Amino acid sequence: MKTYGYAAVEQGTSLVPFTFERRESNGDDVTIEILYSGVCHSDLHMAKNDWGRAVYPLVPGHEIVGKVIAIGRDVTKFKIGDHVAVGTFIDSCMACDQCQKGEEHMCREILTETYNGQDRVTGENTYGGYAKHIVVKEHFVLSIPDRLDISRAAPLLCAGITTYSPLRTWNVGPGTRVGIIGLGGLGHMAVKLAVGLGADVTVLSRSKNKEADALQLGAHHLLDTSDEAAMQQALNGFDVILDTVPVKHDINPYIPLLDIDGTFVVVGQLGLLEEPFTVPMIMGRRRIAGSMIGGIAETQEMLNFCARQNILPDCEMIRMDQINEAFERLERSDVRYRFVIDMSTL
Ligand code: NAP
Ligand code: ZN
């Protein structure tokens, strides 16, 4: 079908209106009219080609909420009119051990990313959620629980699951001492989710500027990482630290903040960190780990958890034609705390 959206047509350019074809719908496909699209820092990394693998034209967007407008004959989970969501991937091999156990995001045959991926049906480059429509196999489509406000749900599809999954993997629950580095899109979701799981939550930020916000989001403390005395006082104080910083940085000051057996989880920087110093890891049996999004079942579990606990991102709604300005503001960390595009403005 013919559709339209916004694309970066080459590296270093602004996003501009772009018309393109979605692949024909097959038996197990759901055709979705997109209502809201979240703006993830990964969209900005990709548009700028920070990771060196962008294919242009590039239509970003992997936090998608919409309405079903057509279904294939084999679709059983959805009907026309349902509110649904799509996250960061739209297909996987479905045959490997990881797909079989519901960890599609760990697919051994490479998952198909929602944009800048290779479509398993047509072999063509995939286009993301800054668009009017998308066609996705039903297995990779999520249900939006009735109680969730659809105008604010989109950021859960990446920022939400990317922080929920490691919190669950490392058994965060009542009493766990959790630190969140960077209070942006992922960071503010991490705060809300960790609080929802019952943890004692501290935001680790570069200054005290966001202290009132952090507390208002539910965090119990803010640690100003530029304050050396406060950093000294915080040594051995955390069981889990989640690092959401989007640029190359030094993690060495943070590792001694973990208690013995503590885990430092990198979710932010897909690339390089400064070289880690091994002594605090060896002495305290502390570990450095990573985590990427989450599988379909876990994403649905997270959406249901958010509906039950009434957890929603703090969103700034923008028009589609404000996307370039939003990217500039994201670059400066000037967002509280996620831009969401109202796709009716496209
Ligand atoms: P964001 O909204 O821009 O937030 C990043 C936060 O990091 C900022 O608000 C800021 O918080 C802090 N920060 C920014 N620049 C910094 C610097 N130079 N030094 C120290 N701290 C800095 O970004 P996001 O959308 O949350 O995404 C964060 C990163 O996660 C991106 O790199 C994105 O690609 C990645 N990501 C990974 C996955 C995954 O599966 N692992 C999924 C989605 C996104 P303070 O002002 O509080 O310090
Ligand atoms: Zn993302």
Side-chain angles (χ1 to χ4, degrees):
M1 72 189 294
K2 242 210 165 42
T3 191
Y4 50 97
Y6 262 55
V9 285
E10 55 187 293
Q11 186 173 346
T13 59
S14 301
L15 267 58
V16 292
F18 176 62
T19 302
F20 61 101
E21 283 286 328
R22 287 289 185 197
R23 69 170 166 74
E24 285 310 312
S25 156
N26 292 311
D28 59 350
D29 280 330
V30 178
T31 304
I32 300 163
E33 179 188 332
I34 301 176
L35 302 176
Y36 300 98
S37 246
V39 180
C40 180
H41 204 113
S42 300
D43 300 346
L44 175 60
H45 286 308
M46 270 296 193
K48 288 185 354 195
N49 200 14
D50 283 349
W51 300 326
R53 59 183 182 86
V55 177
Y56 298 95
L58 183 133
V59 178
H62 60 203
E63 295 184 336
I64 299 170
V65 165
K67 184 175 72 180
V68 176
I69 55 167
I71 53 171
R73 63 187 175 283
D74 304 325
V75 170
T76 56
K77 264 168 62 186
F78 303 103
K79 57 182 191 316
I80 290 172
D82 284 354
H83 285 139
V84 293
V86 177
T88 58
F89 58 98
I90 51 163
D91 210 349
S92 67
C93 84
M94 296 303 280
C96 73
D97 57 335
Q98 298 304 309
C99 288
Q100 292 283 311
K101 68 174 190 194
E103 298 237 82
E104 302 89 345
H105 59 306
M106 295 284 136
C107 176
R108 304 221 187 244
E109 300 294 324
I110 304 176
L111 80 173
T112 305
E113 290 176 86
T114 302
Y115 65 86
N116 206 71
Q118 193 182 21
D119 192 291
R120 283 183 144 78
V121 180
T122 63
E124 286 171 7
N125 187 29
T126 56
Y127 294 128
Y130 296 2
K132 196 71 189 168
H133 307 98
I134 191 165
V135 177
V136 183
K137 282 186 189 167
E138 75 165 327
H139 178 80
F140 297 88
V141 178
L142 290 306
S143 295
I144 302 272
D146 285 342
R147 287 173 57 188
L148 220 49
D149 175 352
I150 58 162
S151 72
R152 289 172 66 189
L156 299 176
L157 277 301
C158 178
I161 185 59
T162 300
T163 50
Y164 182 79
S165 184
L167 293 173
R168 298 281 290 149
T169 300
W170 282 283
N171 300 313
V172 168
T176 313
R177 297 160 300 167
V178 176
I180 312 290
I181 309 177
L183 194 62
L186 267 56
H188 98 291
M189 277 318 305
V191 168
K192 293 190 183 209
L193 291 164
V195 169
L197 290 165
D200 182 70
V201 180
T202 303
V203 169
L204 280 66
S205 193
R206 291 169 288 175
S207 69
K208 276 199 170 295
N209 293 345
K210 293 180 180 171
E211 186 164 41
D213 280 20
L215 300 181
Q216 204 260 324
L217 290 165
H220 305 96
H221 327 269
L222 179 131
L223 171 58
D224 173 0
T225 55
S226 69
D227 177 342
E228 276 176 35
M231 287 291 275
Q232 273 296 319
Q233 267 200 329
L235 294 176
N236 304 304
F238 296 97
D239 303 302
V240 177
I241 295 178
L242 226 60
D243 179 352
T244 75
V245 174
V247 293
K248 181 175 174 183
H249 61 290
D250 185 5
I251 63 171
N252 288 308
Y254 303 117
I255 306 301
L257 303 184
L258 291 167
D259 206 347
I260 291 170
D261 283 325
T263 306
F264 186 89
V265 190
V266 181
V267 292
Q269 168 61 2
L270 284 91
L272 295 171
L273 296 169
E274 298 294 349
E275 195 170 329
F277 182 52
T278 55
V279 172
M281 284 188 271
I282 291 169
M283 303 294 282
R285 205 162 49 205
R286 302 171 173 104
R287 49 192 169 257
I288 299 176
S291 187
M292 185 184 76
I293 43 175
I296 293 295
E298 194 174 46
T299 305
Q300 190 65 58
E301 176 190 306
M302 177 273 310
L303 289 171
N304 299 347
F305 175 77
C306 289
R308 266 197 322 276
Q309 298 252 351
N310 201 21
I311 293 176
L312 282 166
D314 287 21
C315 303
E316 180 177 338
M317 198 67 76
I318 60 166
R319 295 189 314 270
M320 186 72 251
D321 64 8
Q322 291 175 304
I323 186 61
N324 294 307
E325 191 191 322
F327 271 2
E328 279 167 30
R329 287 181 52 195
L330 197 54
E331 186 106 58
R332 300 196 299 268
S333 302
D334 174 21
V335 52
R336 303 205 163 177
Y337 277 90
R338 198 60 140 186
F339 295 115
V340 173
I341 310 164
D342 175 353
M343 297 306 295
S344 69
T345 63
L346 176 62

